[in-house]
């Protein structure tokens, strides 16, 4: 096996929310987006960095170099659980495409071991790389943060054209995919926003979407990293706050759920 190396910041065993069954989730470091609500700010920078320990008055290093072999060795430890539950490996981040060759090598190796693979991605990557990598992927989590490319770039730092193209491709190839909208106050949470999303999805023949109401789960991490949290003081949303928003999608014949 090639000795491709990359930077990860966590390997989480026995995950049950990162795809079907019991999974081992590997978190890769680095992301080209800078969403103010990001709940894993320690994942954004590509290189290892210092982060204050939440329980002790000292600093730990977030991020370490691993080879593909080392990661697959960890993943295989849970193989019996995958077989019983229909689980497998999930690659998350950060943004896995920020370490494209590394992510691809992990997924390819997992498939060689007959392990079910899932990814969590922003889908912000050159289209050819997206096509290349997802041939080794059984299950995709992705999201669309805004239908308007200018507004998308203003808040996340990147335009959305590549994201929309890649998401459309995945749906057109009948990949198993969960598309999400993180619903963020004063960014994309109006009923007019919901209508624009729904019309875009209708045009792309996308017929399902999951709503993720805004939360502040990652707020404390910003303090531990000595960074400013851009969503401070913004009230969290709950499913009951978004029933009319959900109805807009349903009215456009899109299966919309929480």
């Amino acid at each position: 096996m090639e000795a491709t190396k990359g930077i990860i910041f966590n390997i989480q065993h026995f995950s049950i929310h990162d795809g079907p069954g019991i999974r081992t989730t590997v978190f890769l470091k680095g992301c080209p987006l800078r969403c103010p609500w990001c709940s894993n700010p320690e994942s954004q920078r590509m290189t290892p960095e210092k982060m204050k320990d939440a329980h002790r008055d000292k600093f730990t290093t977030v991020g370490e170099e691993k080879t593909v072999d080392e990661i697959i060795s960890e993943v295989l430890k849970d193989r019996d659980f995958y077989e019983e539950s229909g689980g497998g490996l999930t690659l998350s981040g950060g943004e896995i495409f920020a370490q494209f060759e590394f992510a691809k090598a992990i997924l390819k190796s997992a498939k060689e071991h007959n392990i079910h693979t899932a990814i969590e991605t922003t889908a912000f990557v050159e289209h050819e790389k997206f096509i290349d990598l997802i041939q080794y992927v059984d299950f995709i989590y992705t999201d669309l943060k805004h239908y308007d490319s200018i507004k998308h770039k203003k808040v996340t730092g990147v335009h959305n054209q590549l994201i929309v193209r890649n998401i459309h491709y995945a749906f057109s190839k009948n990949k198993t995919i969960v598309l999400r909208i993180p619903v963020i106050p004063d960014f994309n949470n109006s009923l007019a926003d919901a209508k624009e999303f729904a019309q875009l999805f209708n045009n792309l023949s996308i017929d399902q979407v999951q709503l993720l109401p805004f939360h502040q789960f990652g707020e404390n991490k910003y303090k531990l990293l000595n960074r400013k949290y851009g969503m401070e003081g913004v009230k969290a949303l709950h499913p009951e706050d978004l029933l009319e928003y959900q109805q807009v999608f349903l009215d456009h014949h899109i299966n919309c759920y929480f």
Side-chain angles (χ1 to χ4, degrees):
M1 159 157 335
E2 57 197 291
T4 305
K5 295 180 179 179
I7 305 294
I8 70 165
F9 68 95
N10 193 17
I11 296 179
Q12 185 174 307
H13 295 270
F14 308 113
S15 297
I16 57 171
H17 300 296
D18 297 326
I22 296 172
R23 313 192 68 81
T24 300
T25 305
V26 180
F27 294 86
L28 276 58
K29 223 171 177 318
C31 183
L33 280 67
R34 288 295 179 269
C35 307
W37 56 87
C38 178
S39 58
N40 283 336
E42 75 276 26
S43 74
Q44 294 174 349
R45 295 175 183 170
M46 185 70 74
T47 54
E49 59 189 308
K50 296 292 185 183
M51 183 174 180
K52 191 170 183 180
D53 191 301
H55 306 292
R56 290 173 286 180
D57 192 21
K58 69 172 189 176
F59 285 85
T60 56
T61 299
V62 179
E64 60 179 332
E65 187 178 73
K66 292 279 189 182
T67 66
V68 173
D69 280 341
E70 287 174 321
I71 288 172
I72 293 298
S73 177
E74 277 294 308
V75 170
L76 289 174
K77 291 178 181 177
D78 298 332
R79 185 171 211 152
D80 289 346
F81 297 103
Y82 309 150
E83 293 175 355
E84 291 175 12
S85 68
L89 162 71
T90 299
L91 282 193
S92 188
E95 170 47 62
I96 68 163
F97 282 102
Q99 298 189 62
F100 171 70
E101 293 295 346
F102 182 51
K104 179 181 168 183
I106 295 170
L107 293 165
K108 186 176 181 181
S109 179
K111 295 315 297 175
E112 289 168 355
H113 287 89
N114 295 313
I115 293 173
H116 183 277
T117 56
I119 61 171
E120 294 186 283
T121 177
T122 66
F124 180 73
V125 68
E126 295 93 332
H127 188 55
E128 294 71 23
K129 288 185 175 179
F130 186 80
I131 293 171
D132 188 15
L133 183 137
I134 67 168
Q135 66 181 308
Y136 305 109
V137 176
D138 299 308
F139 190 103
I140 300 170
Y141 283 114
T142 190
D143 63 15
L144 184 60
K145 298 165 180 67
H146 211 286
Y147 52 86
D148 183 286
S149 190
I150 301 300
K151 292 179 180 178
H152 194 283
K153 185 177 192 306
K154 183 178 180 181
V155 171
T156 71
V158 304
H159 288 289
N160 76 357
Q161 287 97 331
L162 277 175
I163 295 169
V164 171
R165 184 182 182 191
N166 290 332
I167 290 172
H168 182 217
Y169 175 84
F171 272 94
S172 72
K173 295 301 179 181
N174 294 314
K175 298 293 287 188
T176 303
I177 180 169
V178 173
L179 174 62
R180 298 156 157 175
I181 298 173
V183 186
I184 311 299
D186 299 321
F187 175 57
N188 64 5
N189 68 319
S190 73
L191 296 183
D193 291 324
K195 185 175 180 180
E196 292 285 353
F197 271 120
Q199 290 176 342
L200 173 63
F201 293 164
N202 283 164
N203 291 338
L204 297 175
S205 298
I206 291 172
D207 61 2
Q208 53 97 353
V209 69
Q210 180 181 17
L211 302 182
L212 297 180
F214 167 70
H215 60 74
Q216 295 177 313
F217 294 159
E219 180 174 12
N220 193 50
K221 292 182 179 180
Y222 290 82
K223 298 173 185 174
L224 299 176
L225 289 163
N226 196 28
R227 291 189 214 162
K228 179 176 172 55
Y229 180 52
M231 304 298 289
E232 187 172 358
V234 178
K235 187 178 179 182
L237 294 174
H238 304 281
E240 56 267 28
D241 300 319
L242 297 174
L243 296 180
E244 289 183 73
Y245 192 96
Q246 177 191 31
Q247 189 61 47
V248 173
F249 291 92
L250 299 175
D251 290 344
H252 282 77
H253 310 290
I254 296 167
N255 175 26
C256 182
Y257 59 98
F258 295 98

